Amino acid sequence: ALRVNNRDGNASLRVDQYGAVYVEQNDLLIKDVIGTLGDGNPIVFKQGASEKMRLTGTALGIGTSSPNGKLSLRGAFSTTQTAGITIESTGSTTGLLAPIAFYLQSSNWGTVHQATITAQQVSGTDSGANLIFSTSTTGQFAPTERLRISEVG
């Protein structure tokens, strides 16, 4: 175990024998910052006593302690919430892109960029957007646009 105290001795960062990290003030637990129980066990991120995120050897779960994919998001997404995942491209120029790229393995070409879904800003002033779907016919070529949904549908 390791404990690092501030100059006054009333706040500390503590690492226990299992590798769990805690923030304490006046010997009271403030936050479980990062926790793990040893080799092969997940790293758990908590806020107070509530688990918020779990990193296992194969996956990252946000809002779930049992991720079922490389990235699992779980929550009560409401009708007023705009997104579970946000990709934000900053700037205000026409043509600005916010892409999601898909890479796959090819025995001939290795890991290659096979497809993309992209939001493209139409104007730097009104922020309308096109949604562009692109795919590749073979691993040696970059994806080509196949379908576009314009800002007016």
Side-chain angles (χ1 to χ4, degrees), residues 118-122 127-132 148-153:
T118 305
Q120 178 189 43
Q121 190 165 316
V122 175
S127 297
N130 296 319
L131 188 58
I132 303 166
R148 176 183 294 239
I149 301 172
S150 75
E151 76 278 12
V152 294

Side-chain angles (χ1 to χ4, degrees), residues 58-77:
T58 58
L60 173 64
I62 299 173
T64 178
S65 61
S66 302
N68 58 12
K70 290 288 186 187
L71 173 63
S72 294
L73 303 176
R74 184 169 189 254
F77 300 103

Side-chain angles (χ1 to χ4, degrees), residues 18-147:
Y18 302 108
V21 179
Y22 305 91
V23 175
E24 298 172 333
Q25 185 170 13
N26 296 322
D27 292 323
L28 297 173
L29 179 65
I30 302 297
K31 291 185 181 176
D32 293 341
V33 180
I34 301 173
T36 183
L37 296 174
D39 293 340
N41 291 303
I43 296 174
V44 178
F45 297 81
K46 294 182 177 183
Q47 183 178 24
S50 177
E51 181 174 325
K52 299 299 181 183
M53 185 167 61
R54 176 175 294 244
L55 179 61
T56 69
T58 58
L60 173 64
I62 299 173
T64 178
S65 61
S66 302
N68 58 12
K70 290 288 186 187
L71 173 63
S72 294
L73 303 176
R74 184 169 189 254
F77 300 103
S78 68
T79 57
T80 59
Q81 200 166 8
T82 58
I85 297 175
T86 301
I87 299 172
E88 183 175 343
S89 184
T90 59
S92 59
T93 58
T94 300
L96 200 62
L97 304 175
I100 300 172
F102 299 88
Y103 285 76
L104 301 168
Q105 284 289 324
S106 163
S107 59
N108 288 336
W109 305 103
T111 303
V112 291
H113 185 185
Q114 295 284 351
T116 306
I117 301 172
T118 305
Q120 178 189 43
Q121 190 165 316
V122 175
S123 165
T125 56
D126 70 9
S127 297
N130 296 319
L131 188 58
I132 303 166
F133 296 83
S134 304
T135 60
S136 176
T137 57
T138 180
Q140 73 185 95
F141 301 116
T144 301
E145 182 177 324
R146 308 292 181 188
L147 173 69

